[in-house]
Amino acid sequence: MAKGIIRVKAKAVGGMTKVKMMAKHTMETGRRTDNTSGERIPARYLQTLQVMHQGKTVFAANLGTAISKNPFFAFSFAAGEPGDELMITWLENTGDTATESVKIK
């Protein structure tokens, strides 16, 4: 899967940073079959998601097949200034991984 699957809005207000993010991902469980070919669609889902701010983990999630397509997450943490960078790392069950960054507004 290509980089750039995470959409993020991060805003710092009063010493707190509120983060809303959506992973644009199919989250295939491996249990569905293709209607045209009749073949099983292989499992492909996000296993882990981690958000770091200045080297510290501020959010981490272990995901699985029970998570819906395009999962949405919202959280806040005490820190962050406008212009700071969040590093978001995801890992699929296939072994694909990527790190994306976004600036806090």
Side-chain angles (χ1 to χ4, degrees), residues 60-83:
N62 291 317
L63 309 173
T65 57
I67 305 298
S68 69
K69 178 180 178 180
N70 300 330
F72 176 81
F73 305 91
F75 63 95
S76 60
F77 61 95
E81 297 287 330

Side-chain angles (χ1 to χ4, degrees), residues 18-67:
K18 294 182 179 180
V19 181
K20 295 178 181 176
M21 62 183 184
M22 184 183 79
K24 192 167 176 68
H25 196 280
T26 59
M27 300 295 284
E28 284 294 341
T29 63
R31 296 184 186 131
R32 291 187 327 124
T33 55
D34 185 14
N35 290 337
T36 55
S37 68
E39 293 185 22
R40 188 168 293 237
I41 299 171
R44 185 175 200 127
Y45 55 89
L46 295 174
Q47 274 190 318
T48 63
L49 188 62
Q50 181 180 35
V51 180
M52 298 185 73
H53 173 254
Q54 296 180 339
K56 294 182 181 176
T57 300
V58 293
F59 177 84
N62 291 317
L63 309 173
T65 57
I67 305 298

